[in-house]
């Protein structure tokens, strides 16, 4: 359980922050950058929900679940595996979370026509916001993969799968809120040469 009764602690004034293990790392550390970018993607999802909250259909509820899972993902990344296990069970992304988002993608994709071109971000405000969230999620994924490749670092494989599915979900959701693809803006290669 998290209790936040004082927001500023001054412990980060030296340019470090604490991981879930208590270890302090520089604020630009690759692990901090990864979970910070997950947080940024989650903030983008909050902006998305300004547009999707009044819409009919399942998209807003699905995004609400993803927002909660994104905090789980941040907690997973903020608590690296150590040789000595912590006194508590660290929160980790699990396979059922990946499977649930895959089921949500399949549900949304069911009524969409196949694409014959890439989709440009836009169409409706909700779709544009979803595409922004998608690109930030992809950046988080790149940072997580980079972190996983560093000596001495480990990233939960289910966490990597989950963030990959998030951006897939956001792409499909953008098409859904664009009148099931009718308002998609399609790329025309070389059109402005």
């Amino acid at each position: 359980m998290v209790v936040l009764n004082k927001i500023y602690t001054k412990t980060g004034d030296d340019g470090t922050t604490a991981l879930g293990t208590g270890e302090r790392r520089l604020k630009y550390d690759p692990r901090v950058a990864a979970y910070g970018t997950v947080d940024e993607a989650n903030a983008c999802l909050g902006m998305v929900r300004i547009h999707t909250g009044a819409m009919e259909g399942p998209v807003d509820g699905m995004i609400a679940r993803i927002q909660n899972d994104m905090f789980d993902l941040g907690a997973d990344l903020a608590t690296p595996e150590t040789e000595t296990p912590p006194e508590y069970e660290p929160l980790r992304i699990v396979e059922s979370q990946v499977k649930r988002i895959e089921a949500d993608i399949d549900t949304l994709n069911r009524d969409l026509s196949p694409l014959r071109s890439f989709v440009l971000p836009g169409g409706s405000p909700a779709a544009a916001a979803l595409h922004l969230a998608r690109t930030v999620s992809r950046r988080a994924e790149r940072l997580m993969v980079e972190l996983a490749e560093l000596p001495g670092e480990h990233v939960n494989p289910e966490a990597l799968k989950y963030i990959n599915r998030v951006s897939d979900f956001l792409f499909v959701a953008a098409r859904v809120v664009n009148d099931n693809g009718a308002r998609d803006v399609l790329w025309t290669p070389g059109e402005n040469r």
Side-chain angles (χ1 to χ4, degrees):
M1 177 60 72
V2 175
V3 178
L4 300 173
N5 55 5
K6 187 169 182 171
I7 301 305
Y8 66 91
T9 62
K10 301 182 183 181
T11 57
D13 291 351
D14 65 353
T16 65
T17 191
L19 299 180
T21 58
E23 175 189 357
R24 296 203 64 84
R25 300 250 185 124
L26 290 168
K27 290 186 178 184
Y28 62 81
D29 181 88
R31 183 167 294 277
V32 177
Y35 70 71
T37 307
V38 168
D39 189 36
E40 183 182 350
N42 204 351
C44 289
L45 292 176
M47 296 299 291
V48 165
R49 295 196 66 213
I50 290 170
H51 301 288
T52 60
M55 291 181 170
E56 290 186 25
V59 171
D60 189 65
M62 292 173 173
I63 294 170
R65 286 191 300 273
I66 290 170
Q67 278 198 288
N68 197 79
D69 286 353
M70 293 289 270
F71 256 80
D72 291 356
L73 178 57
D76 188 329
L77 290 166
T79 311
E81 291 185 15
T82 58
E83 289 183 22
T84 306
E87 296 177 9
Y88 60 92
E89 181 68 29
L91 187 58
R92 301 286 182 218
I93 293 292
V94 295
E95 182 182 21
S96 62
Q97 290 169 294
V98 175
K99 295 294 184 194
R100 195 214 63 247
I101 201 168
E102 288 174 349
D104 287 348
I105 293 167
D106 292 342
T107 296
L108 294 182
N109 201 42
R110 188 176 313 131
D111 296 327
L112 295 175
S113 58
L115 284 168
R116 305 263 186 270
S117 180
F118 289 104
V119 175
L120 300 177
S124 68
L130 281 157
H131 281 293
L132 178 60
R134 175 185 57 78
T135 62
V136 176
S137 295
R138 284 289 187 211
R139 180 161 33 95
E141 180 182 13
R142 290 190 300 273
L143 291 170
M144 288 170 61
V145 169
E146 182 179 12
L147 175 65
E149 293 297 315
L150 293 175
E153 296 288 0
H154 174 79
V155 175
N156 172 6
E158 294 300 322
L160 287 168
K161 290 177 192 175
Y162 187 82
I163 194 64
N164 189 14
R165 299 307 182 281
V166 167
S167 49
D168 295 336
F169 170 88
L170 296 173
F171 177 80
V172 172
R175 294 199 67 214
V176 168
V177 302
N178 261 347
D179 296 330
N180 282 330
R183 293 176 63 188
D184 282 345
V185 179
L186 299 180
W187 174 47
T188 306
E191 180 180 38
N192 301 308
R193 287 183 174 180

